Amino acid sequence: MRIGLIAGNGTFPFLVLRAARRLGHDVTIVAIKGETFAELEALASELGGSTLQWIALGQLGRCISAFRDAGVTRAVMAGQVKHVKLFTDVMPDLTMLSVLTNLARKNTDSLISAIAGVLESHGITLMDSTALLADLLAREGVLTKRAPTDAMLGDFTFGYGVADEVARLDIGQTIVVKDRAVVAVEAMEGTDDTIARAGRLAGPGTRVVKVAKPAQDMRFDVPVIGVATIAAMRAAGADAISVDAGRTLVVDGDDCLRAADEAGIVVVGRVRA
């Protein structure tokens, strides 16, 4: 069976492509110029059974045409597009313009839900973005060699209520806490920039709380951490991170946790009630 892949930036699309080919799926990839890593095209060629078409951000009609021409009826959305580009880099085609003009709010859920609806109207169903990568979902409990201190656990407990509310409002998925005070809240800038800002504001010893939305749609905007997250924390002096078990992708798998161990950073998989 052929599936579609809408690829943003990061390593997430590479993982989906590899997993799909390993399971015997042919893949039609729609890659976003200026977002998707160029190396994805080389990987598609190397693995075979895949085609890749580059589109500009906002060319939803071309995305649909590429999938329909290939006979795609199921697609995965993987990788990020910085939300701030909604205000700077979008040159919408008529299909995308119809989505944008009918949005009451330009937040992530509203926008991507509307895009999913348009895809569905053309016979293309968005799949759970983790369906091919269940082995990379964060496990429960302490994931690193180092366990959290009482102070870390106190900051996590304090942070969960705030982070859950921020996520419920679809503002962001991450907050950074120090000594039971909120130092930084993620909005459109992304997790790594939020962590860096917290380091500048509060210095070493910050803790990161990254959560899924209370009613997380697993088709898109699933929380993701990886080696780059650990590098951002190390640079900012953050010493611990909590993620939601079963609803957060650890995209670099064991490499991410090894990087955390080397940096002395604690990683915890939170069990949500």
Side-chain angles (χ1 to χ4, degrees):
M1 182 183 71
R2 179 172 289 275
I3 64 173
L5 170 58
I6 303 171
N9 64 32
T11 58
F12 191 0
F14 292 76
L15 297 171
V16 171
L17 176 57
R18 287 185 183 278
R21 293 298 296 136
R22 187 169 60 248
L23 293 170
H25 298 299
D26 293 333
V27 185
T28 295
I29 305 163
V30 173
I32 301 171
K33 296 175 184 175
E35 291 290 335
T36 311
F37 293 168
E39 293 82 359
L40 186 65
E41 189 165 16
L43 179 62
S45 177
E46 175 190 328
L47 296 178
S50 304
T51 59
L52 185 146
Q53 179 173 325
W54 291 94
I55 67 169
L57 184 62
Q59 291 184 319
L60 180 57
R62 284 191 62 191
C63 173
I64 292 168
S65 294
F67 285 161
R68 294 187 67 185
D69 290 348
V72 167
T73 57
R74 294 201 301 161
V76 177
M77 189 175 287
Q80 296 179 322
V81 174
K82 285 192 176 295
H83 301 170
V84 72
K85 291 195 173 184
L86 283 173
F87 301 101
T88 57
D89 293 347
V90 173
M91 296 289 289
D93 60 15
L94 290 177
T95 306
M96 188 65 170
L97 188 61
S98 69
V99 170
L100 294 174
T101 54
N102 287 302
L103 284 179
R105 301 173 63 199
K106 287 187 180 178
N107 59 346
T108 304
D109 276 0
S110 297
L111 175 60
I112 306 184
S113 291
I115 290 172
V118 173
L119 290 170
E120 189 80 41
S121 72
H122 288 275
I124 303 159
T125 300
L126 271 188
M127 300 164 53
D128 179 337
S129 62
T130 68
L132 303 175
L133 301 170
D135 57 327
L136 292 179
L137 287 169
R139 303 183 306 277
E140 298 177 0
V142 180
L143 306 181
T144 45
K145 293 178 181 178
R146 184 183 174 198
T149 63
D150 288 344
M152 291 174 184
L153 291 173
D155 276 346
F156 287 158
T157 300
F158 167 79
Y160 290 144
V162 179
D164 288 343
E165 185 64 11
V166 168
R168 185 188 69 79
L169 294 169
D170 199 19
I171 295 169
Q173 298 172 323
T174 303
I175 69 166
V176 184
V177 176
K178 184 174 181 180
D179 296 334
R180 293 179 175 83
V182 176
V183 178
V185 176
E186 178 190 24
M188 287 191 173
E189 73 274 38
T191 300
D192 291 354
D193 285 349
T194 305
I195 292 169
R197 177 159 51 88
R200 292 193 297 271
L201 290 170
T206 54
R207 283 83 196 233
V208 181
V209 178
K210 189 173 183 70
V211 301
K213 299 180 182 74
Q216 179 70 50
D217 189 328
M218 297 299 284
R219 296 176 301 169
F220 51 79
D221 204 31
V222 175
V224 172
I225 65 166
V227 170
T229 314
I230 301 301
M233 292 179 62
R234 188 172 194 166
D239 58 11
I241 181 170
S242 172
V243 298
D244 282 359
R247 295 204 279 179
T248 304
L249 277 171
V250 185
V251 291
D252 298 311
D254 290 342
D255 287 343
C256 175
L257 300 180
R258 275 193 291 270
D261 284 333
E262 290 170 4
I265 290 171
V266 172
V267 181
V268 172
R270 171 200 183 192
V271 182
R272 293 184 69 145

